[in-house]
Amino acid sequence: MADRRARRVRLWTSAVIVGAVALAVLLVPPLVQLDEQAVDLSLKLLPPSWEHPFGTDDVGRDLLLRCVYGLRISLLVGLVAALVATVIGTAVGAAAASLGGWTDRVVMRLVDAFSSVPHLLLGIFIVAMFRPGVWPVIVSVALTHWLSTARIVRSEVLSLRSRPYIDAAISGGASRWRVTARHLLPAVLPQAGLAAVLMVPHAMWHESALSFLGLGLPSHQASLGNLVQSARSSLLAGDWWPTLFPGLLLIVPTLAIAGLAGVWRDRLNPRRRSELTL
C-alpha cells in the first residue's frame, strides 16, 4: 500500500511539473510581449524580486524570460532528437532481428562499435562539422542515442519471433516483411515509445553539455546550457541566481519526465510492478 501511494504521488507530481513546463513554454512567449534579448545595463545583475522573479543577468536581461526561452529550445532539441533516434533504433533493431543470420551479427557488431565510443565525444565530433545551431545539435544527439533503442527492439523482436501466432503467420504464407510490419513492429511500439520518453531527459542534458562547451547553440541564443555557461563569471563574483535558476529548470523537468516514464515502465511490465508491490 505504501509503495502504491508513493507511485501515485510520484505520478501526480511529475504530471503537474510537466504540465506546468508545457504551459510555460507554450504560453509565456506569445503572451509576454517582451524581447528576451533586450539589454539594459542599468538593471545589471539585480537579485530576484517581484519585478524580476529570477533576477537579471550580467547585461540586464530578465532571467525568468530567458530561462523559459532556454527551456523551450532544450525541450525542442530533446523531443525531436529522441523521436529521430527512436525511429532509427527501431528500424535497425527490427531489421536485424527479422533478417537474422549474418545480417544480425554484422549490424549488432556495428552497434557495439558505436557504443564503445563515449556519446559526448562522438557528439562533439559530429556537431563540430557544422555551424552552431539547433539542427546540428539535434543531428548530433539523434545519431548518438539510437543504440540502446536498437538493442531493446531487437531483443523484443527475437522474443516475439518464437510466439505461436508468428509461426502460424509464416506457415500461412506471410512474407518476412509482412510479418514484421503487421505483427512484430506494432508489438514493440510501446517499448520503443518508452525508450523515446526516457531519451528526452538524456537528450536535454546532452544539448546542455554541448552548449556549455561552446559547441552547441550560438552564444546569443537562449538555451539552458548557454545560460549556465554565461553565468560562470557571475557565480565566481557571488551572484548565485544566474546559475541556480537555469540549473533548476534543467534538473526538475528532466526528473519529472523520468518519473512519468518510470510509471509507464511499471505499467508495461506487470511482473515488475507486482514484485514492487509485495
Side-chain angles (χ1 to χ4, degrees), residues 87-153:
V87 171
I88 295 174
T90 301
V92 171
S98 300
L99 295 174
W102 66 269
T103 303
D104 183 26
R105 292 192 292 271
V106 170
V107 170
M108 296 316 296
R109 295 297 77 76
L110 289 175
V111 170
D112 293 338
F114 277 107
S115 298
S116 64
V117 182
H119 285 175
L120 185 58
L121 181 62
L122 185 58
I124 290 173
F125 175 78
I126 294 173
V127 80
M129 296 188 295
F130 304 94
R131 292 182 178 180
V134 174
W135 289 107
V137 175
I138 290 176
V139 171
S140 171
V141 175
L143 292 181
T144 56
H145 287 72
W146 59 271
L147 305 170
S148 59
T149 304
R151 287 199 179 97
I152 292 171
V153 171

Side-chain angles (χ1 to χ4, degrees), residues 194-219:
L194 175 59
V197 175
L198 287 171
M199 204 180 302
V200 171
H202 196 183
M204 292 177 62
W205 280 93
H206 200 91
E207 177 275 324
S208 298
L210 290 174
S211 297
F212 183 81
L213 294 173
L215 298 170
L217 275 67
S219 58

Side-chain angles (χ1 to χ4, degrees), residues 5-40:
R5 186 180 297 111
R7 287 199 303 273
R8 187 178 296 113
V9 170
R10 182 179 65 176
L11 171 62
W12 283 106
T13 303
S14 301
V16 168
I17 293 174
V18 171
V21 167
L23 289 176
V25 299
L26 290 175
L27 298 180
V28 168
L31 292 179
V32 179
Q33 299 299 322
L34 295 176
D35 184 8
E36 52 95 15
Q37 297 283 5
V39 174
D40 187 351

Side-chain angles (χ1 to χ4, degrees), residues 60-78:
R61 294 173 294 193
D62 183 76
L63 196 58
L64 173 58
L65 191 60
R66 285 184 61 77
C67 283
V68 172
Y69 273 91
L71 182 59
R72 193 183 192 185
I73 293 295
S74 297
L75 276 174
L76 172 67
V77 172

Side-chain angles (χ1 to χ4, degrees), residues 239-259:
D239 301 318
W240 48 269
W241 56 92
T243 304
L244 175 66
F245 292 113
L248 286 178
L249 283 184
L250 178 62
I251 295 172
V252 174
T254 54
L255 289 178
I257 295 172

